[in-house]
Amino acid sequence: MQISSDDAALFFKLMPALQVFANRQLQIIKKLDNVEQYQKISNEQRVKLRNAVYKRPELIDGFVQKNPSGFTTEELEIVSGWKNFIAGDFYIERILKKHAIFVGDNKVFAVLALTEPFRQVLGGMPLPMYIKTVLLPFKGKIIYDGLIEGYNIYFGGGVSTSM
C-alpha cells in the first residue's frame, strides 16, 4: 500500500525544495537552483545530493528556519521530522496489503510506498531483497525517500525461510 495521492503530492512538494536548498548550500550539482531543474536531474544525482543532506542533517534545521519556499507550519513540521531519518541497508522481507516489511539493524519497519506499490517499484524482483534507502517519518507513518538502491544479491530459499 502507498500513501494517499494528496500525501504523495505533499511529499514531492517538500522533498525537492529541501534538496534544492541543500544544493545551494553545498554546491554539489551545478546549475541546480530550483525545483523545476531538480525534476530533470538523474536518479544518480539525486542519490548523491540525498546522501550529502543526511550527512549534514543541520541543513534540515536551516531549511526550516529560513523557509525559502514559504511552506506552512504543518509542512515545516513534516520536514523537521526528517531529522529522525534512518539511512542504511535494509532487507525488504515481504510486502503486505498495508505496508512492506523492512528489516535493518535488528529492527523491523512497516513502510509505505509513495506513488506506486512496492511490487511495481521493485520491478517484480524476488524477496527478500537487499537495498539501500532512507526511511522518513511522514504524518505518523514511515515512508522511504523515493530512492532505492538495489544490490545485485539473490537469496535462496533457506535465507527467505529464516527471515
Side-chain angles (χ1 to χ4, degrees):
M1 177 180 223
Q2 62 260 18
I3 58 177
S4 72
S5 58
D6 287 344
D7 282 349
L10 176 59
F11 174 79
F12 286 112
K13 172 185 172 184
L14 301 175
M15 182 56 76
L18 171 62
Q19 298 290 317
V20 169
F21 173 82
N23 191 65
R24 286 184 192 138
Q25 307 302 309
L26 303 174
Q27 295 296 307
I28 292 172
I29 301 170
K30 294 178 182 179
K31 298 182 182 176
L32 175 59
D33 298 316
N34 58 53
V35 172
E36 291 76 24
Q37 292 168 339
Y38 177 86
Q39 303 302 337
K40 297 175 184 175
I41 66 174
S42 69
N43 278 344
E44 290 79 19
Q45 290 175 305
R46 290 179 187 191
V47 166
K48 190 175 182 180
L49 185 54
R50 171 203 56 196
N51 292 343
V53 169
Y54 294 119
K55 285 181 184 172
R56 298 194 49 202
E58 67 273 8
L59 289 169
I60 296 171
D61 288 327
F63 177 82
V64 170
Q65 289 170 357
K66 292 181 180 176
N67 193 11
S69 301
F71 290 148
T72 66
T73 302
E74 180 184 347
E75 291 168 334
L76 292 174
E77 286 175 4
I78 291 169
V79 175
S80 183
W82 293 346
K83 291 183 297 186
N84 297 313
F85 70 91
I86 300 172
D89 296 329
F90 301 90
Y91 292 95
I92 301 178
E93 194 266 335
R94 74 178 81 166
I95 300 171
L96 304 171
K97 276 187 178 182
K98 294 185 178 185
H99 50 260
I101 303 297
F102 283 48
V103 180
D105 288 333
N106 295 319
K107 295 179 182 165
V108 178
F109 304 92
V111 181
L112 296 176
L114 299 174
T115 58
E116 301 172 335
F118 275 115
R119 292 204 188 282
Q120 195 171 344
V121 170
L122 301 175
M125 296 295 290
L127 299 179
M129 187 174 186
Y130 194 52
I131 60 146
K132 177 184 284 289
T133 194
V134 177
L135 303 183
L136 299 170
F138 186 84
K139 298 177 87 173
K141 300 174 179 94
I142 301 172
I143 61 172
Y144 74 107
D145 72 346
L147 299 168
I148 291 179
E149 298 174 82
Y151 291 105
N152 201 12
I153 300 172
Y154 296 95
F155 300 98
V159 171
S160 298
T161 302
S162 70
M163 289 189 87

